Amino acid sequence: MAYRFTLSTALFWAGLLAAPLLGRAQGTVILTGKVSGRTADTVAVSVRENPLDAKEQITYARLDSKGEFRLALTVNGPTRADLVYGDDVADMFLEPGDQLDVRFKGSDLATSVRYKGKGAEANTFLTEMDDKFVENDGFQVLPDNIMLYEAPFLSFLEYRRKEENKFLEDGGEGLSPAFRNYVKAEIDYSYANDRLTFQDLREQVVATESRLKMSPGYYGFLDDKSLINNGGAVQSEMYHEFLLNYIHYLALASGKQRTDPDFYQVCYDLAKKQLEGPAKPIVMGRVLKESFRFGHVKQSAAMLEDFRIVDEKNQYYPVLKQDFDTHKAFAIGSPAPDFQLVSSKGDTVSLKSFAGKLVYINFWRTTSGLALRDLPYESELAKKFEGRNIVFLNIALDENDGAWKQLVISKKLPGLHVRTPGGMRSTVARAYAIQDVPSYFLLAEDGTFLNTKPKRLSSRAAYDEIKESFGKANTYSSTLPAGR
């Protein structure tokens, strides 16, 4: 379920829809319902059919004069989905043959939605579980508990998992086996993923301390091979996320660093060797997408050709090839897409106007807690580089211009602030392939990409990384294919 909004999933892709299980029969889902106090003209259901494709299958239904609607869509077996009305979204779980009556208030979809009919039990359960665990900060992995030390953090994770399992058992009557398995996988792999990534996240959040040293048995849970290769969990997005972080962990444990040119090649080879079943090509594909995003074009091209052989049914290769072609446009050493945006002070800012300076770009939103937490560190970095040719440029992906401007001005946020209308769907966000916030880029003095995954503003290593980047324009020109 799209139900674990932790800091670790901030590093994840923006799509929060789980992949349908492979090879299942298609079926039809019927939704009818009514919107009270309508604020928009259409209702939509969004489903991601391919876990490596950001595009979604969206089915729309227009409201009639009474606010009523009807829509039908085809799903490939039990599938995570989103119910969309205006800017509001509610989690759904759909199975072939579901016939749902859906009713909600136009001003408050998420908390007012009610379900009846076939499939109502699962979707009502999702709503209740979101309300109890997602909307309750006490169950979320947020800065306050990431600052904890090992023992209390583990106690928090174990308490959360116990409460979630109890909620499933107490409210599981009438739920289908497919839905129960899905929820159980989300619970188990949320625990495993948060435990696995705790050390890295704490290093990012607690900038005043060195990296926390874990006890000898902390990572012992990874020795459970059934946790790694679990065919029954392939529908869970948390399982995919956990496996990706597990592969990162293995690469780092082997002595590799994320900044090493062959880091993603090592990750790709580890995924190919260590993983089994239908999740294997998905995780290998996600490693490839990271490699594309990082910008090592030649290396990525070689891995992609190998994946073409691995992907015997050609399920994922076409999507990855398209993603590779898209990312070639902003590989390391390529010109960064220019733009003209209005700043919080009302003047127009273009990327070209910063020629001759390093540009550290921070894509963020005022509603992102992690992005807001990072911003104060920008002020410290700016002071350290005072007098140097560098600009800290913050690009907000907020729909609400007034709320963004008020926050920037009232909080006296550091750096240069601009906003791109359209948010995550804006031209600028698409040009930079933004999937989540905060997202960072470091541009060389000539306007080319120098680092498409620089250290976070709050990272202790950010200063050294930026310091070493001056005068490195064209350093990575050899990574570009001939003729570019």
Side-chain angles (χ1 to χ4, degrees), residues 29-247:
V29 172
I30 305 294
L31 269 71
T32 58
K34 183 175 183 179
V35 181
S36 303
R38 55 190 290 176
T39 59
D41 295 329
T42 60
V43 171
V45 173
S46 173
V47 177
R48 173 169 287 163
E49 296 181 311
N50 188 319
L52 298 181
D53 192 350
K55 293 193 293 292
E56 301 161 353
Q57 172 191 322
I58 303 178
T59 305
Y60 291 92
R62 183 166 291 278
L63 304 183
D64 65 16
S65 59
K66 298 179 180 179
E68 297 178 343
F69 64 90
R70 182 184 188 279
L71 63 81
L73 67 151
T74 300
V75 295
N76 295 322
T79 305
R80 266 285 296 112
D82 278 348
L83 178 65
V84 183
Y85 182 72
D87 293 330
D88 288 342
V89 179
D91 299 337
M92 296 193 77
F93 189 89
L94 305 177
E95 300 191 52
D98 280 355
Q99 295 188 3
L100 283 164
D101 179 74
V102 185
R103 295 172 183 264
F104 58 89
K105 296 178 182 179
S107 59
D108 188 11
L109 164 62
T111 61
S112 68
V113 66
R114 297 293 182 269
Y115 302 96
K116 291 184 179 179
K118 187 177 181 182
E121 293 86 354
N123 287 287
T124 299
F125 183 91
L126 270 183
T127 300
E128 293 174 349
M129 195 162 191
D130 278 2
D131 182 62
K132 181 174 178 62
F133 295 103
V134 177
E135 301 302 326
N136 185 343
D137 286 350
F139 287 104
Q140 295 302 304
V141 176
L142 296 171
D144 282 351
N145 48 45
I146 286 182
M147 292 179 185
L148 297 172
Y149 290 94
E150 178 184 324
F153 182 76
L154 279 182
S155 294
F156 158 73
L157 289 186
E158 287 160 2
Y159 170 74
R160 185 186 71 188
R161 182 172 59 171
K162 178 182 176 182
E163 290 298 305
E164 289 170 335
N165 280 319
K166 183 176 184 299
F167 189 82
L168 176 59
E169 292 307 312
D170 291 347
E173 185 177 352
L175 300 179
S176 71
F179 181 68
R180 286 183 63 93
N181 288 341
Y182 172 68
V183 175
K184 188 66 170 66
E186 288 287 284
I187 293 171
D188 290 343
Y189 286 101
S190 292
Y191 169 89
N193 192 59
D194 287 338
R195 179 168 177 169
L196 176 60
T197 58
F198 170 59
Q199 190 179 23
D200 289 337
L201 289 174
R202 193 178 190 282
E203 184 178 26
Q204 296 176 20
V205 171
V206 186
T208 57
E209 296 181 20
S210 58
R211 185 175 176 85
L212 187 65
K213 186 176 181 180
M214 315 309 291
S215 65
Y218 181 81
Y219 291 106
F221 72 105
L222 297 174
D223 295 334
D224 181 0
K225 297 306 178 185
S226 65
L227 181 72
I228 308 303
N229 290 304
N230 183 356
V234 69
Q235 191 181 10
S236 167
E237 75 220 15
M238 263 301 156
Y239 178 48
H240 304 163
E241 178 73 358
F242 164 74
L243 287 180
L244 182 65
N245 285 317
Y246 172 67
I247 294 301

